Amino acid sequence: MLQLDLHPTGRHFLQIPGPSPVPDRILRAMSLPTIDHRGPEFGALGLKVLAGIRAVFKTQHPVVIYPASGTGAWEAALANTMSPGDHVLMYETGHFAALWAKMAQRLGLSTEVLAWSGTDDVLPNAPGWRRGVQADLIEARLRKDTERKIRAVCVVHNETSTGVTSDIAAVRRAIDAAGHPALLMVDSISGLASADYRHDEWGVDVTVSGSQKGLMLPPGISFNALSPRALEAMKTAKLPRAFWAWDEIVEMNRTGYWPYTPNTNLLYGLSEALDMILGDGLDNVFARHQRWAAGVRAAVNAWGLPIQCADPAVYSPVLTGVVTPVGVDADALRRLIHERFDLSLGTGLGKLKGRMFRIGHLGDSNDLTLLATVAGCEMGLKLAGVKLAGSGVQSAMEHFAGLVAQAPLMKAA
Ligand code: PLP
């Protein structure tokens, strides 16, 4: 018998919280011939993407672009500003915050991890993974640090493992209220270009981000947005660094070039993504993500399942974590949905493995993509025998139909 092992018909639904679907317009831009990275055309491309990405971070200061995944940019942030044994205060809101702390330890830093210590009925093993950063805990800890040993405060803006955001301006206020000189480092790998973010206004010293989320690019480039204080800290920081060193890159970037071979075709893609995002306007981009997130939450509420984020003030516009009933393996459910409906959902990470799944609603999406996603989840939940309180599809339709008149839609490509 003829074995048919073809790619399923129609488009795959890539609804994990990054990598997000790459628009055709960006894919086409990346298919241009690779050019000489020391030639004149490249310099113009370099200058264009460096200026555009500053606008997305909302900064006047340098943004370093690395040919690396987000993990590389995490390392770069620490390696450029810290010295062996320096004490850093990390705040654990989820799996990615925990991984960044682990990396800091591996780099030879002394790490102290703060977390919310209340109790939680829905996820008793991960109460702090349902809430954003509590800035008052940071302020209290910094006030106790009379010897000013803490060199940096590190927080995650949009915890991709949970669907919880954190109020970065509040963290800045907490550091200032304590009169503490620590640097503020923020991971906005999955927040940038989907959720409101203001590097300069919020007084962030290093923001770390990546290409494969709100920027709608494939994985492979990542960023460090800097502040003047971060550049000052670099001058005395002693952790070993070579490839990640900001100084040479920032210097060569002045003319649009890099000290090594940058990934040219991803930069073509970045140039196109910046045209799309800035052409549309960041406020429209943020409003669209809020609208999708509210539609997906309407569906989860109608199913009667808990949204992982327990605090509506910090719901993520990028993804929604859905907690499955005790006894329902969320990964088996995800597998079933993938096999039957060609829909990929995010897995539960770390201590939440099997207890939740994540619906990504970011980047190149629209109301109907999300309705289809909700429909795929709903059918899968029913097939898995989960008793639902009501129809999430119906609620999401009502949400999208009700808001359609006011909402800014993506401009035609
Ligand atoms: N931080 C956050 C918040 C993330 O979502 C991710 C990846 O999803 C990372 C860090 C790690 O980035 P990467 O996988 O690109 O190395």
Side-chain angles (χ1 to χ4, degrees):
M1 210 179 98
L2 181 66
Q3 286 289 318
L4 286 179
D5 188 17
L6 303 176
H7 191 282
T9 54
R11 287 247 169 161
H12 173 66
F13 282 80
L14 183 63
Q15 299 302 137
I16 58 174
S20 62
V22 180
D24 292 350
R25 186 173 153 185
I26 292 181
L27 289 173
R28 282 195 296 274
M30 290 193 310
S31 71
L32 289 172
T34 302
I35 52 173
D36 173 7
H37 64 291
R38 310 272 181 220
E41 287 165 287
F42 189 90
L45 172 69
L47 288 175
K48 180 190 164 189
V49 295
L50 287 163
I53 198 68
R54 280 202 292 275
V56 175
F57 278 98
K58 296 197 176 162
T59 181
Q60 306 290 323
H61 304 294
V63 176
V64 175
I65 306 178
Y66 292 108
S69 85
T71 304
W74 262 351
E75 177 162 344
L78 297 170
N80 277 283
T81 53
M82 298 289 122
S83 298
D86 273 356
H87 196 64
V88 290
L89 186 63
M90 325 276 300
Y91 193 105
E92 186 178 314
T93 41
H95 183 67
F96 288 106
L99 284 184
W100 200 10
K102 198 165 146 200
M103 166 184 274
Q105 267 160 21
R106 292 181 72 175
L107 289 173
L109 300 175
S110 142
T111 58
E112 178 177 338
V113 179
L114 285 183
W116 188 76
S117 58
T119 53
D120 189 87
D121 291 343
V122 175
L123 292 173
N125 68 330
W129 289 27
R130 297 195 70 207
R131 288 156 183 89
V133 169
Q134 312 291 302
D136 54 337
L137 294 184
I138 292 182
E139 182 179 334
R141 178 64 190 92
L142 293 178
R143 280 186 190 280
K144 279 200 204 137
D145 181 33
T146 47
E147 290 177 42
R148 303 295 188 238
K149 284 206 163 133
I150 296 171
R151 299 298 312 279
V153 174
C154 300
V155 295
V156 175
H157 173 223
N158 183 72
E159 231 323 327
T160 329
S161 64
T162 63
V164 179
T165 61
S166 283
D167 183 344
I168 302 304
V171 177
R172 176 79 261 168
R173 284 195 300 274
I175 298 172
D176 291 349
H180 200 287
L183 294 176
L184 172 57
M185 304 215 203
V186 179
D187 167 342
S188 190
I189 286 185
S190 60
L192 191 80
S194 298
D196 186 17
Y197 194 79
R198 311 173 195 185
H199 179 85
D200 286 1
E201 189 184 321
W202 293 345
V204 182
D205 292 299
V206 187
T207 304
V208 178
S209 194
S211 55
Q212 73 272 28
K213 315 270 186 182
L215 289 172
M216 308 180 291
L217 295 167
I221 44 182
S222 54
F223 309 92
N224 276 179
L226 313 181
S227 74
R229 283 189 71 224
L231 284 162
E232 256 327 284
M234 173 192 76
K235 293 181 185 156
T236 49
K238 300 255 172 344
L239 274 184
R241 55 187 181 271
F243 177 74
W244 302 118
W246 292 334
D247 48 0
E248 279 186 25
I249 303 173
V250 170
E251 184 51 38
M252 281 202 70
N253 277 177
R254 288 182 203 284
T255 49
Y257 295 93
W258 271 259
Y260 45 74
T261 316
N263 35 17
T264 318
N265 290 55
L266 273 169
L267 296 180
Y268 284 145
L270 176 59
S271 165
E272 201 68 16
L274 292 167
D275 285 349
M276 291 173 77
I277 291 166
L278 298 173
D280 202 9
L282 282 169
D283 289 343
N284 283 341
V285 172
F286 301 150
R288 199 159 54 232
H289 283 77
Q290 292 289 0
R291 155 196 176 72
W292 293 333
V296 169
R297 288 196 302 269
V300 182
N301 285 330
W303 293 331
L305 296 177
I307 291 172
Q308 175 160 358
C309 179
D311 177 1
V314 289
Y315 279 147
S316 169
V318 175
L319 75 142
T320 300
V322 183
V323 181
T324 48
V326 174
V328 175
D329 176 357
D331 281 339
L333 172 72
R334 285 176 45 256
R335 266 195 306 279
L336 182 145
I337 292 172
H338 182 252
E339 275 163 22
R340 291 291 295 269
F341 307 118
D342 199 22
L343 162 63
S344 288
L345 299 164
T347 184
L349 291 165
K351 52 188 168 185
L352 293 185
K353 188 147 187 56
R355 281 298 282 122
M356 56 88 71
F357 63 91
R358 296 170 297 148
I359 303 176
H361 30 79
L362 68 162
D364 189 35
S365 208
N366 60 35
D367 294 0
L368 291 187
T369 315
L370 292 167
L371 268 180
T373 301
V374 166
C377 294
E378 188 162 319
M379 289 187 285
L381 284 160
K382 283 184 181 164
L383 287 170
V386 178
K387 281 242 162 314
L388 300 177
S391 168
V393 175
Q394 189 62 40
S395 293
M397 283 201 301
E398 279 159 21
H399 171 84
F400 290 131
L403 286 181
V404 88
Q406 305 102 291
L409 296 173
M410 171 118 47
K411 282 192 188 143

